[in-house]
Amino acid sequence: MAKKPTLAFFDFTGCEGCQIEFTNLGDEAILELLKHVDLVEFREAMSETTTQRIDIALVEGSFTREMDRERLMDIRRRARTVIAYGACACTGGINALRNHQDDYHEVVYGEHATDPMVLSSPARPISAVIDVDYEVPGCPADKYELVQILTDLLHGKRPFIPTYPVCVECKRRGTVCRYDEGDYCMGQVARAGCGAPCPAAGIPCEACRGFSADASLASLEKVLMERGGMSQARAISKTRMFTANLRG
């Protein structure tokens, strides 16, 4: 019997919610996946680790500590394919909001702000340190999209990750625009691929998957102010929620 490809999960600065979301596939789906891959490291579900070569490495969390550089580089050396898994790994995610807050250590940790255990650098995507082959954006990353990407890789296909906006998926679902409901939304510039579940549930899209190709942030700010009723400062702040490293 041919040896199965190996799959490993690694985590850096993040809540590990993307890995938890993967477990929400349920036993049946995960057991089916394990017929095709060997899961060799996954802190959320097993204690075993590996120092061997890996076929597919899923890296969750942003890069915020210089001490993590060598670990990331080691993963890259050992892995045939590296996938940035979730918003934090792809763009820096919510962690990157601190990059716009000069005194975040003091605000968060108070008198312990200078303790070695909490000192860290600006939050950056893992691509700031290593080459990444694919990205699975989102907060959390969509479990079904990950399965599709893994399936494509196992079949020797290049995964398709959309770059068009979420508005396209809202139109396909027949979802009423949040602006027509007197709300705001960032779906016009947000990267699609999630199926637009938030607007369908009456929740504005917050662009947790990053921005679509050729997104106009100036136009987004204008819409948020004119139709979303936001001040300019609030509009700029809102567009940084998951994309602080992308828009400055």
Side-chain angles (χ1 to χ4, degrees):
M1 180 180 296
K3 183 179 179 182
K4 292 186 288 186
T6 51
L7 173 67
F9 288 80
F10 300 96
D11 49 87
F12 288 81
T13 302
C15 68
E16 302 186 22
C18 292
Q19 293 180 73
I20 294 297
E21 177 66 1
F22 175 77
T23 67
N24 288 335
L25 280 168
D27 293 344
E28 184 175 345
I30 292 175
L31 288 173
E32 179 62 31
L33 178 63
L34 292 179
K35 293 179 181 178
H36 307 283
V37 298
D38 277 329
L39 189 55
V40 295
E41 187 164 341
F42 184 27
R43 193 171 77 163
E44 304 302 325
M46 58 193 290
S47 58
E48 293 84 359
T49 61
T50 182
T51 58
Q52 304 302 310
R53 295 281 299 174
I54 307 160
D55 290 300
I56 302 172
L58 289 156
V59 181
E60 181 191 31
S62 58
F63 174 67
T64 64
R65 304 184 303 174
E66 188 59 34
M67 69 177 69
D68 290 331
R69 181 180 295 274
E70 180 53 39
R71 180 172 173 238
L72 271 171
M73 294 176 67
D74 177 65
I75 292 169
R76 178 69 271 185
R77 283 191 292 266
R78 291 193 289 128
R80 178 178 300 174
T81 300
V82 172
I83 300 175
Y85 183 43
C88 292
C90 293
T91 66
I94 286 180
N95 291 333
L97 285 172
R98 67 203 241 182
N99 301 350
H100 299 274
Q101 178 82 38
D102 292 336
D103 59 348
Y104 67 87
H105 276 107
E106 290 74 17
V107 170
V108 175
Y109 299 109
E111 63 183 37
H112 299 288
T114 58
D115 290 0
M117 69 178 66
V118 300
L119 290 179
S120 56
S121 304
R124 290 178 286 170
I126 64 169
S127 60
V129 180
I130 61 174
D131 290 333
V132 170
D133 298 297
Y134 301 102
E135 294 182 346
V136 185
C139 184
D142 186 272
K143 54 185 177 291
Y144 300 114
E145 182 179 24
L146 175 60
V147 169
Q148 182 60 59
I149 288 173
L150 293 176
T151 300
D152 288 343
L153 290 174
L154 292 175
H155 284 86
K157 295 172 56 180
R158 183 173 182 82
F160 170 70
I161 300 175
T163 59
Y164 51 79
V166 165
C167 286
V168 173
E169 294 180 329
C170 279
K171 291 292 185 182
R172 289 173 177 169
R173 294 183 66 140
T175 299
V176 175
C177 181
R178 296 310 307 152
Y179 287 102
D180 289 341
E181 297 287 343
D183 204 349
Y184 75 92
C185 190
M186 295 198 290
Q188 64 268 42
V189 299
R191 181 194 293 246
C194 56
C198 295
I203 303 169
C205 172
E206 302 283 3
C208 75
R209 292 172 59 85
F211 294 132
S212 57
D214 302 320
S216 172
L217 301 186
S219 296
L220 172 62
E221 289 174 17
K222 183 177 180 180
V223 171
L224 290 176
M225 289 187 289
E226 294 181 354
R227 298 198 61 188
M230 296 183 186
S231 66
Q232 184 176 24
R234 177 59 175 161
I236 293 173
S237 175
K238 176 58 70 174
T239 61
R240 284 178 176 157
M241 182 177 243
F242 290 98
T243 51
N245 277 327
L246 298 180
R247 64 142 300 136

